[in-house]
């Protein structure tokens, strides 16, 4: 592994100052389950890297439910997150996405913020965060800014954060009444794999079961997870009947811009993403409390 | 790498290429200084001589390096020693002794839950955490719970039997 300079600041301000210092390339370290593997792969590099461990900063690893929404410390582990019944009650799809990452041992360390900042096209939590209208609170030496999750990731492994910036909080607004979500992914193995296709859906239904609002996001079928308003539009105003689901699936397939690789061909992914959008819509609708 | 030691406080504030970490390993207080890029499995095996924690894939897929970090199973190959300040680590050596095996160790022997044995310490550590976390266990839950541990010999059947057997004993 390359040489590491390790720092464990106890305040956001100290962390930002360390990250802003140009002395050497710097990484934020939370659970480290992606970062350490990536760093080890650079074994030949002579350059040292600064690891800023943010887990010693108060609030970075906690999750608070407020009337406005969930304030999520980005370093919270998937295990702590998925164990929270209050979070599962409001965002079951987001919890199921977090529960799919790696194995039990990985979940004890891997964080939601890490999954987001690693910015893989196949990250499971990103479509689930997008359908829940989650926002990133980013802090830097110039102050704070807010970015929606759909705008946070900019490409394969890249995001909108500049050097010296830190993801301080993920804010997930409280869903309006009669709303629920679901996330599905397709993998050829039963466990421990990376999504070939992922799909998150959130729907709001009225008392008669008619869809009042929807958000659809697809993963692993483009350089970054996409919000697909056309798929949502196909669901809104319908009773989520077969025709509406088929229209939403077609919209998702049309929005997908997948590549062919060892995990699946572009054509296959384009088809499967529509199927998953249909299924996730039905699961989310089924979860809406009367 | 320079192992020039700094005080823990200045190290944490500014960053250092060498870290001094206080942790508990198998209930024993340990203070170790190592390069900041040292992973927990390296510390256990090379500095503390606890070679029961095995390194298989070294990319956190196979699970043979599984240990307990504050009671929960983690993969020691993907954890920096620096991240373990104040942690309580339990390895296979801390679970039982040759004369007094932990019920999970005994069940692996009894059920023939191993062949070459390389994955076994990680399997046992993961399985003990699984029994602690789940109130009830069936075959499906055991197989899901061990998703992060790979065995290339047994075909898993006897491992699943061993975990089910141990779970009963551990709950009695």
């Amino acid at each position: 592994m390359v040489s590491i300079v390790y720092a464990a600041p106890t305040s956001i301000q100290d962390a930002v100052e360390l990250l802003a210092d140009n002395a050497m390339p710097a990484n934020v370290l939370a659970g480290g389950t992606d970062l350490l593997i990536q760093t080890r792969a650079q074994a030949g590099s002579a350059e040292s890297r600064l690891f800023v461990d943010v887990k010693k900063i108060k609030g970075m690893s906690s999750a608070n439910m407020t009337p406005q929404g969930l304030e999520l410390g980005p370093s919270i582990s998937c295990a702590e997150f998925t164990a929270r019944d209050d979070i599962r009650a409001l965002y079951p799809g987001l919890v199921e996405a977090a529960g799919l990452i790696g194995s039990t041992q990985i979940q004890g360390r891997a964080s939601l913020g890490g999954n987001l900042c690693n910015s893989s096209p196949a990250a499971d939590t990103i479509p689930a965060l997008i359908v829940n209208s989650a926002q990133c609170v980013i802090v830097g030496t110039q102050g704070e800014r807010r970015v929606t999750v759909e705008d946070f990731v900019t490409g394969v492994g890249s995001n909108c954060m500049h050097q010296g910036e830190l993801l301080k909080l993920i804010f997930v607004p409280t869903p309006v009444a009669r709303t629920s979500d679901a996330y599905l992914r397709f993998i050829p193995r039963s466990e421990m794999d990376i999504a070939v296709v992922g799909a998150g859906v959130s729907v709001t239904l009225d008392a008669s079961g008619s869809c009042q609002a929807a958000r659809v996001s697809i993963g692993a079928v483009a350089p970054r997870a996409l919000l697909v308003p056309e798929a949502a539009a196909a669901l809104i105003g319908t009773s989520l009947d077969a025709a509406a689901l088929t229209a939403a699936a077609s919209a998702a397939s049309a929005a997908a811009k997948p590549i062919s690789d060892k995990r699946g061909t572009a054509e296959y992914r384009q088809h499967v993403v529509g199927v998953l959008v249909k299924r996730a819509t039905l699961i989310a609708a089924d979860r809406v409390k009367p | 790498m320079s192992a020039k030691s700094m005080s823990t406080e200045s190290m944490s504030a500014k960053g250092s290429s060498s870290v001094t970490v206080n942790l508990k390993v198998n209930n024993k207080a340990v203070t170790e200084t190592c390069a900041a890029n040292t992973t927990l499995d390296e510390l256990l095996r090379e500095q503390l001589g606890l070679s029961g924690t095995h390194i298989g894939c070294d990319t956190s897929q196979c699970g043979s390096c599984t240990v307990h970090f504050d009671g929960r199973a983690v993969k020691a190959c993907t954890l920096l020693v620096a991240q373990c300040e104040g942690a309580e680590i339990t390895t296979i050596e801390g679970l039982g002794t040759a004369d007094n095996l932990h019920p999970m160790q005994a069940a692996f022997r009894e059920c023939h839950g191993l062949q070459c044995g390389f994955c076994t310490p990680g399997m046992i550590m993961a399985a003990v955490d699984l029994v602690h976390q789940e109130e009830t266990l069936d075959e499906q839950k055991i197989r899901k719970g061990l998703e992060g541990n790979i065995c290339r010999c047994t075909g898993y059947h006897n491992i699943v039997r061993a975990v089910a057997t141990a779970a009963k004993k551990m709950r009695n």
Side-chain angles (χ1 to χ4, degrees), chain A residues 1-9 18 29-33 36-37 40 51 53 56 102-106 109 191-192, chain B residues 1 12-13 15-17 36-37 39 58-61 66 69 73 75 77-80 82-83 144-145 147-149:
Chain A
M1 203 187 295
V2 299
S3 292
I4 291 170
V5 172
Y6 174 86
L18 281 162
L29 172 67
T33 53
L36 290 176
I37 305 280
R40 189 178 280 130
F51 275 14
D53 186 345
K56 307 274 192 266
S103 63
T104 311
Q105 299 102 319
I106 301 292
R109 302 294 306 170
E191 306 293 346
M192 282 281 282
Chain B
M1 182 181 297
S12 300
S16 171
S17 57
N37 64 359
T39 48
D58 217 5
T59 52
S60 79
Q61 315 214 28
T66 301
F69 179 106
K75 294 185 174 178
C77 75
T78 325
L79 193 60
L80 293 175
Q83 293 173 282
K144 169 124 183 71
E147 68 190 17
N149 294 76

Side-chain angles (χ1 to χ4, degrees), chain A residues 231 234-235 238-251 274-275 277-282:
Chain A
L235 300 173
T238 75
S239 60
L240 305 180
D241 52 286
L245 293 173
T246 302
S250 301
V275 176
V277 164
K278 270 190 198 180
R279 291 181 187 172
T281 302
L282 290 174

Side-chain angles (χ1 to χ4, degrees), chain A residues 63-84:
Chain A
N64 302 317
M65 246 351 159
T66 72
Q68 290 74 38
L70 173 63
E71 294 175 350
L72 201 54
S75 303
I76 190 168
S77 72
C78 290
E80 286 170 88
F81 181 78
T82 57
R84 285 274 297 265

